[in-house]
């Protein structure tokens, strides 16, 4: 009945990555490795992650008519993502400046470029893609008005998954559509407020009070917390040696969204997604690090 297991609406960036011994503090200059350019962006990453796991996936995004845009389109097509919804032109392709330290932690600054031109009208024009998709996921590297338009145009029966990254206050109509809202602890604090040392359970309860049907709080190496109006439960992660955490959250969101569409419960989907996220941190880069279903099973 559906052409796509997952439609990702979101950003596509060229990731400019430098390995550093230590991420610089304010006013500091550090020397790093040679620069490497990878395909990235939270939306494009989610689409590749889902397709690599076997999901029939489409991407609705905007890239520039430039070399970075072509790099991103090639990466999507190589992974098997349908790029019929990728618009080209209007501004240069988004760029992310990324430093990665020896523990695998990163710092990222994004220049949105064409991502900022993915407009509400582009969502209305893509209604056939929305109609054809079992699950729709989004993030916040595109304008908030565009995400609002996605929430307004969801066909009945289509599930909406939002990773509000980078975080900001969300309108009630977007929150009400989320099933689930997926946040890390920093994103949870920005959206729901609360004490700096509050527990993930406290944060999940505060987020649920804002209106989403369900909430998932990612806990890094500790796994994730799943919360609905009825229950809260933690799922443990797999212990791995982290090389680069870039894109692990995107892989988690994609895996969870896809599994929900296949009929898994939220708890089952999260348990699978933590394994996908764990596999993703064991290799450098974002999209290059995403596992196949066989690699997840072998973890
Ligand atoms: O989540 C990781 C992604 O964030 C990177 O690929 C970068 O492009 C930024 O969007």
């Amino acid at each position: 009945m559906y052409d796509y297991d997952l439609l990702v609406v979101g950003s596509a960036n060229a990731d400019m990555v430098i390995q550093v011994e230590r991420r610089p503090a304010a006013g500091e200059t550090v020397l790093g490795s040679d620069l490497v350019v990878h395909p990235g962006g939270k939306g494009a990453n989610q689409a590749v992650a889902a397709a690599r796991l076997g999901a029939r996936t489409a991407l609705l995004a905007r890239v520039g008519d430039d070399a970075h845009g072509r790099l991103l389109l090639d990466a999507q097509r190589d992974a098997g993502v349908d790029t019929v919804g990728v618009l080209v032109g209007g501004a240069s392709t988004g760029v992310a400046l990324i430093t990665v330290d020896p523990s695998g932690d990163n710092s990222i600054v994004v220049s949105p470029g064409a991502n900022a031109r993915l407009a509400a009208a582009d969502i209305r024009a893509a209604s056939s893609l929305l109609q054809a998709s079992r699950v729709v996921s989004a993030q916040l590297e595109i304008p908030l008005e565009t995400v609002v338009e996605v929430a307004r145009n969801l066909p009945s029966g289509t599930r909406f998954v939002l990773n509000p990254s980078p975080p900001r206050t969300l309108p009630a109509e977007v929150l009400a559509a989320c099933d689930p809202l997926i946040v890390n602890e920093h994103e949870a604090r920005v959206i729901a407020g609360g004490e700096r040392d509050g527990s993930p359970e406290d944060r999940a309860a505060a987020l649920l009070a804002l209106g989403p049907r369900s909430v998932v709080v990612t806990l890094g190496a500790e796994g994730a917390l799943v919360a609905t109006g009825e229950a809260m439960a933690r799922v443990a992660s797999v212990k791995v040696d982290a090389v680069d955490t870039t894109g692990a959250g995107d892989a988690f969101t994609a895996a969870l969204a896809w599994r929900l569409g296949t009929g898994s419960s939220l708890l089952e989907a999260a348990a699978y997604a933590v394994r996908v996220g764990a596999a993703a941190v064991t290799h450098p880069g974002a999209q290059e690090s995403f596992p196949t279903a066989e690699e997840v099973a072998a973890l």
Side-chain angles (χ1 to χ4, degrees), residues 254-291:
L256 187 140
W258 170 53
R259 291 301 277 234
L260 287 175
T262 65
S264 295
S265 70
L266 186 56
L267 199 58
E268 291 164 345
Y272 184 77
V274 294
R275 297 172 68 84
V276 174
V281 306
T282 61
H283 295 97
Q287 295 174 19
E288 295 91 333
S289 73
F290 297 156

Side-chain angles (χ1 to χ4, degrees), residues 11 13 15 39-42 45 96 98 108 110 141 246-247 250 286:
S11 59
N13 299 325
D15 287 356
K42 297 182 195 304
N45 291 348
I98 303 179
I108 304 179
V110 172
E141 289 182 336
T246 308
D250 307 327

